[in-house]
Every structure is written in C-alpha cells, then in structure tokens.
Amino acid sequence: MLSSHTNANNGMMPPVRPGPIAFAVLLAVCPRLATAQAPVGAPPAPAITSNDTLKGVSEKIQIAPHVADRQIEQRLAEILTATGRFQSLRVTVRGGVVFLDGKAVGADDKKWAGDLARNTEAVTAVMNRISITPPSLWDFGPALNGMRELERSAVGVIPFVILAAIILLVGALAAKLTTKGAQRALRDRTGSPLLRDVIARGSGLVLFVASLLLALRVAGLTTIALTVVGGTGVLGIILGIAFRDISENLLASVFLSVQHPFRNGDLIQIEDVTGYVQRLTVRATLLMTLDGNHVQIPNATVYKSIVRNFTSNPNRREDFVIGIGYDEVVADAQAIALKVLAEHPAVLDNPEPWVLVDSLGAATVNLRVYFWLNGKEHSWLKVRSSVIRLIKRSLQDAGVSLPDTAREVVFPHGVPVTIERADGEKVSAKGKTAPSAAAGSDAEKVATRAEAGLTTEAPELKKQAIAARRPEEGEDLLSPGNEHP
C-alpha cells in the first residue's frame, strides 16, 4: 500500500516502492527484462570473427534474482551464438546446472564457454561437453590475420625505417669522405700505397659499421644490432681460420711495402730462387730468373725466408777451389794465381783478392781463390769462368801439375824407365810428363767468344720482362721511382 503523507523534514513525497506482487507480475509480463540488456541507442557489440580467440571472463553475467533455468539457458545461448565460434551448440540448464554441448574450433574457446557459464548468476555447476574440431587445412584465416597484423606493424615502423635509412646513407657518405681524406693525409707520411689503402679503408669501415648499428637501433632492430656486433667478432675468427694463408700474404705485403727489403730491378735470392724483381702485388712477389722464367713467390714465404739482395751492394765476392800436386811449391802457385787476378780487368783491387790454402786432398793441395767484382757492371758467372780459365792456363804454362784424384796415380820419386840399346845394354832413366802446349788463339784472352764478354745480362733480362706477358695483374706495391737501371 502506498503512503500518501508528505515527509516532514523536506516537504517531498517519499519514494514509491513496488511490492513483491507487483514485481512478480512485471516479470511474468516482460520476462526479457530479467536479463542484462544494452541501453537504448548504444552501439552494437563488435562481431567476433572465426579467427579471433575468446578471452577469459572477468565479470559475472548479471541475471535477475530468482530467475528460472529457462532464462539462464536462453541468455547463455544468445552470448555463445553471437561469438560465432561454436557449431551445433545446445545449452541445457536443470536445477542451476548448465550442460554445454556442441563443437568448438579450439581448446581456448571451449574453456571460455565453460568460464562464461560458471560466472553466470544462479549457476551452481557446469558440465562442459563441447568437443574440439580441428581447423580445416584450407582455412587461410590465420594467415590473413597475420598479414593484417604485419601490415599494421609495418605502417607503424615506416617513420623509423625512413630515419634509419637516412642515418645509414649519411654514414656511408661520411665513410667514403673519411677514406679519401685519410688517403690524402697519409700520402706524404708513408711511401707504401698498400698501407695507406688499408688504414684509409679501415677508418671508413669503422665509421660505416657505427652508422649501421645506430640505424638498426633507431629502426627498433636492437636484437639484430647486437647480433651484428657479436657476429662481427665470430665472423672475423672464422674468416681468419678459413683464409689464414690469404691473411698472411696480405699482412706480409703490407710489411714488405713498408720496409722495402728490395726494389724493382734488384737481383735477389729467396730460398733457392735467384732472379730480378719485377713487381710486388698483394699476393706474391714476381721474379725474372736468370733463365728468363717468371717465378711467383707468396709474400708470406718471402717475408719469413732469408732474402739475399745482390744489388743493394754492387760489389760481390766469388771464390773457387783449384788443386795442385804435392811436389809443387805452394807459394809459387799462389803467386801465379794472384798475378792473374791483379791483371784481370773485371777483378777489383779493393777489396784485394786472396789465394789461400784451403785443404789437403787425397792427391792435391787445394787452393781457394777469392776475388771481388762489380755485380752492377759484370756478370759474376762470366767473370768466374774467365778467372778459372786464366789461372789454370798460367799454372800449366809454369809447369805446375794439376792432378786428378779420380784417374791419376802419383809416384813421388818418378816412374822408372828401362831402355834397351841396340847392343843389348839396358839403360834406366826417369820419366817426367812435359807441360802441354798452348791450344787455341783464345787461351790468353780475358773473355773468350764462348764467355760472350763479361758484362751483366740484367739489361737484356729487363727488356725480356717488359716484352713478356705479366703472369699476375694488380697494383705494383713497390715505388716506381726506386727502380734500378
């Protein structure tokens, strides 16, 4: 019954409160008012596609108190059907217990349906009998979803990518300018073009790598930037092991171009190879041998080997051994050989030549002859041949015996000879070998036609090297202004 008197305190009518009978009548007339409805004019809820995943239910579904099982069943069916994630759905409620039957796409959807029913008011228990149906092989929904997500991400990072590209472009330009500037700055400070190039390119590379790392950080690729930093060290170790010989040759090329142990045109000997230097490349040193052959020796081998440079000091000493008989006076033989050396035009007076007793052989006293010559003007092979020939001839003319240990038997007291005369008397005498006569008009000449003069063959070999095809191309690391004529 409604009260009709006015409130004495504020002069207003007290609120009208419906009785339980009126509330029951209202529920009977409009049963859908017992469920939670959206306000009039509110926008519709967004549709749930088949590719979305249902999330957990955080709040309870409001149901009017004292509702029937039918109302719970109807409300749950409406919500689950609206998601579009279930097939052959059937919701049954008996005594507050919810029975869910049907098919779901995934296990998350089945769990979500159970959580939804469990959080609905007046529900005492849930029997979730929904079965899981695997997605079809021809369902491209997840792929399309991923592409849309990738598109949204790409649109979001476009400004950062543009900024990173600008940083990388500026870094590359700065690295190029740094390389050229370093080459100009080192041009007057070092004579090695390879060393200048290595230092200049190294400084430019460091600047470019720094700009690359900054660009990756700006683009949000921090993981890739760290991978580049860590991978650079690992890559360096791997390349160092895989290309150890190439790295050794490169470093040796730098050291050889800086230290200049030889120059273009020098006559050098590396291990057992003797020849004139033609060029020094990043990989090898090219020699023209005395036989006219091109020989390439790896720079690592050149740097680690003993290098004999015959051109750095033009004077060169040669020696040979000659044996005389035990009956001969050694001092006389030395004087004869020394006179030949003093009169020879290619033998230098300073340092002076020597004729020394070297050893006592089985049948000979061995003399070793030392003499100096100018290797820049004369060929040591030809001069050596000429000196040996002239000393031998002089010793033979003086009656000095030159025995051969392989074929000659020495008789210290001579060979007894018995001569039978016509009257039958026998006369003994001692025989002695007379010196051989001079043979040929070239015997007294300093250089014979066979020796073809005493001059060096370096100019001829240089002409051959210029006319020959270069077996290896590449920049010559030796300074062209330091060539020997």
Side-chain angles (χ1 to χ4, degrees), residues 119-142:
N119 290 332
T120 304
E121 290 189 14
V123 173
T124 58
V126 176
M127 291 292 293
N128 193 346
R129 298 180 295 194
I130 297 177
S131 60
I132 300 175
T133 303
S136 174
L137 295 176
W138 301 101
D139 185 10
F140 297 101

Side-chain angles (χ1 to χ4, degrees), residues 30 235 419 434:
C30 301
L235 181 62
I419 303 175

